[in-house]
Amino acid sequence: MFDKLEDLLHRFEEILNELGEPTVAENQTRFRALMKEQSDLTPIVEAYREYKKCKETMEDSLSLLESENDDEMREMLKEELNDAKKRIAELETELKVLLLPKDPNDDKNVIVEIRAGAGGDEAALFAAEIYRMYVHYAEGRRWKVELLNVDEIGIGGMKEVQFVITGQGAYSRMKYESGVHRVQRVPETESGGRIHTSTISVAVMPEVDEDIDIVIDEKDIRVDVMRASGNGGQCVNTTDSAVRLTHYPTGIVVYSQTEKSQLQNKAKAFALLKSKLYDMEQQQRHDAEAEMRRSQIGTGDRSEKIRTYNFPQGRVTDHRINLTLYKLDKIMNGDIDEILDACISADQAAKLVRMNGEAV
């Protein structure tokens, strides 16, 4: 590990030297690549430099203790030594986590797709609430949310909704939301007061940008234009602006109607289709790699039940990490960082165990 850290420290210094060259900004592609590499390496380098400093402090304290006779000074040196040892242990764990292989999609924006499952109208209402939960969460992190498509029902629910979240590290956190979300509560329409269980599914896909090559052959696509449906306003459903794409090889159908312009809706539909094709490719690779599956939180299966929202008891339980929180109202208002932080920590711990097992 320390050989690798020394190599990274050397590389970091090389980057700083290159960025200090007056001509580096002339090649913007190279400049951006260097800035990103510097940003990625900074937390590792800072932790490693602190580790080396703590090691020096520990060695100095040990050396001074051998020759020091004053009791008060010896106590101070022992305290300094213990503090350094404690911090060294913390930094070793931190460095192991920082050196874990990074998901190449972590810095990407995400496309989120929410679909109502079992439970009829109640599932559609819950889908709309989860959509709002993610919007509030994104706003709290100063991320931008852009609606791609929504299929609403008259009572305020959503049969399905697709939207883009744009922001630094969006995928690194939102990827843990993929799976089946279950709600337990008494529906407003239920006169008998019985608790119903409904489900929705959430799919989180990295947005495909220029660094990912997804080729779509024109002959594999059927493009249909039509009048938008649902709640209108501002001419959205008075012109043939909605676009539906059908991808013959996979059977994927995507639809976009949120813009007044047919061209804008077509661009959004193609962005969604590309992300779906890339996600399908990722899922197939994931399914083929059993070891990767075992190293991650849950199975990674889209049909896996990951979380239950129990309204009568005011609790939310994430089944992958056995975490239960009694703050349902805050969570439904977008306060999901505690859950996501716990998922990330559990994921890192599982990967560290696997990495240590391979090292042995």
Side-chain angles (χ1 to χ4, degrees), residues 232-250:
Q234 296 186 345
C235 306
V236 74
N237 56 2
T238 59
T239 60
D240 291 335
S241 59
V243 174
R244 182 176 63 211
L245 302 180
T246 304
H247 187 244
Y248 294 123
T250 60

Side-chain angles (χ1 to χ4, degrees), residues 32-52:
R32 284 193 295 268
L34 287 169
M35 289 297 291
K36 185 180 186 309
E37 192 176 357
Q38 181 198 22
S39 175
D40 290 342
L41 287 178
T42 295
I44 300 173
V45 167
E46 287 178 350
Y48 184 47
R49 281 174 173 166
E50 186 184 352
Y51 174 86
K52 291 176 80 170

Side-chain angles (χ1 to χ4, degrees), residues 7-105:
D7 289 342
L8 292 176
L9 180 57
H10 180 65
R11 174 60 189 151
F12 185 77
E13 289 166 353
E14 283 181 343
I15 291 168
L16 290 182
N17 288 334
E18 190 169 347
L19 285 171
E21 293 291 330
T23 57
V24 69
E26 292 174 7
N27 184 339
Q28 281 297 304
T29 302
R30 176 66 178 162
F31 180 71
R32 284 193 295 268
L34 287 169
M35 289 297 291
K36 185 180 186 309
E37 192 176 357
Q38 181 198 22
S39 175
D40 290 342
L41 287 178
T42 295
I44 300 173
V45 167
E46 287 178 350
Y48 184 47
R49 281 174 173 166
E50 186 184 352
Y51 174 86
K52 291 176 80 170
K53 190 174 180 181
C54 287
K55 288 285 281 186
E56 286 176 12
T57 300
M58 188 181 78
E59 289 164 7
D60 290 345
S61 298
L62 282 169
S63 178
L64 289 168
L65 270 169
E66 290 178 4
S67 58
E68 184 58 64
N69 295 318
D70 183 77
D71 289 342
E72 190 175 336
M73 278 298 295
R74 286 182 67 82
E75 282 304 311
M76 279 180 57
L77 288 167
K78 283 179 183 177
E79 187 177 336
E80 195 176 69
L81 178 63
N82 289 332
D83 288 345
K85 282 182 176 178
K86 182 182 176 184
R87 185 60 183 143
I88 284 168
E90 292 171 350
L91 285 165
E92 282 180 353
T93 302
E94 188 179 325
L95 284 164
K96 284 178 183 176
V97 170
L98 288 168
L99 287 174
L100 285 172
K102 190 178 178 185
D103 186 334
N105 294 317

Side-chain angles (χ1 to χ4, degrees), residues 219-321:
K219 70 176 188 297
D220 291 336
I221 292 285
R222 189 180 79 205
V223 181
D224 296 308
V225 294
M226 62 205 71
R227 193 155 295 182
S229 58
N231 295 326
Q234 296 186 345
C235 306
V236 74
N237 56 2
T238 59
T239 60
D240 291 335
S241 59
V243 174
R244 182 176 63 211
L245 302 180
T246 304
H247 187 244
Y248 294 123
T250 60
I252 293 173
V253 178
V254 296
Y255 184 73
S256 179
Q257 65 169 8
T258 56
E259 303 293 336
K260 287 187 285 184
S261 159
Q262 186 186 118
L263 283 174
Q264 288 175 311
N265 280 324
K266 188 175 181 181
K268 283 188 173 185
F270 266 100
L272 179 56
L273 176 60
K274 281 186 175 182
S275 286
K276 279 179 171 283
L277 291 172
Y278 178 64
D279 185 60
M280 182 181 287
E281 184 183 293
Q282 295 283 97
Q283 285 289 310
Q284 288 169 350
R285 188 179 301 127
H286 174 75
D287 292 343
E289 295 173 359
E291 280 302 315
M292 179 185 287
R293 171 173 291 201
R294 282 196 287 271
S295 77
Q296 293 181 344
I297 294 303
T299 65
D301 192 328
R302 287 280 157 76
S303 62
E304 178 190 14
K305 181 184 72 180
I306 65 165
R307 199 173 298 151
T308 295
Y309 305 73
N310 185 294
F311 277 71
Q313 296 178 21
R315 65 173 168 83
V316 176
T317 299
D318 196 293
H319 305 289
R320 299 164 296 179
I321 53 176

Side-chain angles (χ1 to χ4, degrees), residues 123-137:
L125 287 167
F126 185 57
E129 290 174 67
I130 292 297
Y131 166 68
R132 286 191 287 273
M133 178 182 83
Y134 291 145
V135 170
H136 288 313
Y137 178 65

Side-chain angles (χ1 to χ4, degrees), residues 126 182-185 195 197 305 307-319 322-332 339:
F126 185 57
R182 181 175 69 170
V183 60
Q184 295 173 326
R185 64 183 175 190
I195 294 175
T197 298
K305 181 184 72 180
R307 199 173 298 151
T308 295
Y309 305 73
N310 185 294
F311 277 71
Q313 296 178 21
R315 65 173 168 83
V316 176
T317 299
D318 196 293
H319 305 289
N322 296 318
L323 173 70
T324 297
L325 299 173
Y326 288 88
K327 55 176 202 178
L328 178 68
D329 290 348
K330 287 185 177 179
I331 288 168
M332 295 307 295
I339 297 174

